[in-house]
Amino acid sequence: MLRLIGELIPTLLLGIVLVAVGANVISRTVLREGFQVANELAVVCFAGVVFFGIIGAALDKQMFGVDFFVSRLPRRLQAWVTALTHLLVIAIALQVLNAAIAQVSTARFTTFLALGWPKWIVSAGLGVAMSAIILVQLLHLAELWRERHT
């Protein structure tokens, strides 16, 4: 399920961004007028690419370049520092999740101009992504724990 959220959804959203922006460029070139929905749709979909794409990166342990620095530490410290980085990512994701929840609760009446969608959709997507990041980090911690005790 996490692979679906972290890899397939960002791929599909990026496809929508490319189609919307491409169609807008063609429309502006041929018809001399773009369509308003393209920009807003691209912004929402690109936000989804970033929010959900980070889940795929986290699943593959490719977040923030931490491995580069951890690999340079003495062997006995690597597992501890790796666990600490997972805990720090969880703490950061919890704060972002808290901000996303606050945004959803306060922005429920505002909408994107052309789309007419509520603006809280972006914050809800961010909240889902941060929840998945927390889950991924907990899975990595459990894996690290198992490796350490076997």
Side-chain angles (χ1 to χ4, degrees):
M1 183 61 140
L2 288 171
R3 287 273 173 214
L4 171 75
I5 295 170
E7 293 175 0
L8 183 62
I9 291 175
T11 303
L12 294 173
L13 290 174
L14 185 58
I16 293 170
V17 169
L18 294 173
V19 168
V21 171
N24 196 26
V25 168
I26 291 169
S27 175
R28 285 177 188 229
T29 304
V30 175
L31 303 175
R32 304 274 187 242
E33 187 173 326
F35 55 99
Q36 291 178 336
V37 176
N39 293 331
E40 292 178 15
L41 185 62
V43 167
V44 171
C45 289
F46 195 71
V49 169
V50 173
F51 297 162
F52 297 118
I54 198 169
I55 297 166
L59 282 168
D60 293 333
K61 298 179 182 178
Q62 296 179 353
M63 290 188 58
F64 315 122
V66 172
D67 290 337
F68 173 79
F69 295 104
V70 171
S71 67
R72 292 182 174 11
L73 292 172
R75 200 88 162 123
R76 68 184 189 285
L77 292 177
Q78 289 180 2
W80 291 104
V81 172
T82 300
L84 178 62
T85 59
H86 291 309
L87 292 172
L88 286 172
V89 170
I90 289 170
I92 292 166
L94 282 170
Q95 290 303 312
V96 175
L97 177 61
N98 187 39
I101 290 169
Q103 180 65 27
V104 168
S105 65
T106 59
R108 64 188 125 169
F109 300 115
T110 57
T111 61
F112 289 105
L113 298 175
L115 293 175
W117 295 354
K119 284 187 177 178
W120 61 263
I121 288 175
V122 174
S123 297
L126 179 61
V128 169
M130 290 301 108
S131 298
I133 288 292
I134 292 167
L135 179 60
V136 169
Q137 296 306 309
L138 290 172
L139 291 171
H140 287 320
L141 279 170
E143 180 183 325
L144 189 63
W145 179 265
R146 274 189 305 240
E147 287 174 4
R148 190 105 169 111
H149 288 4
T150 55

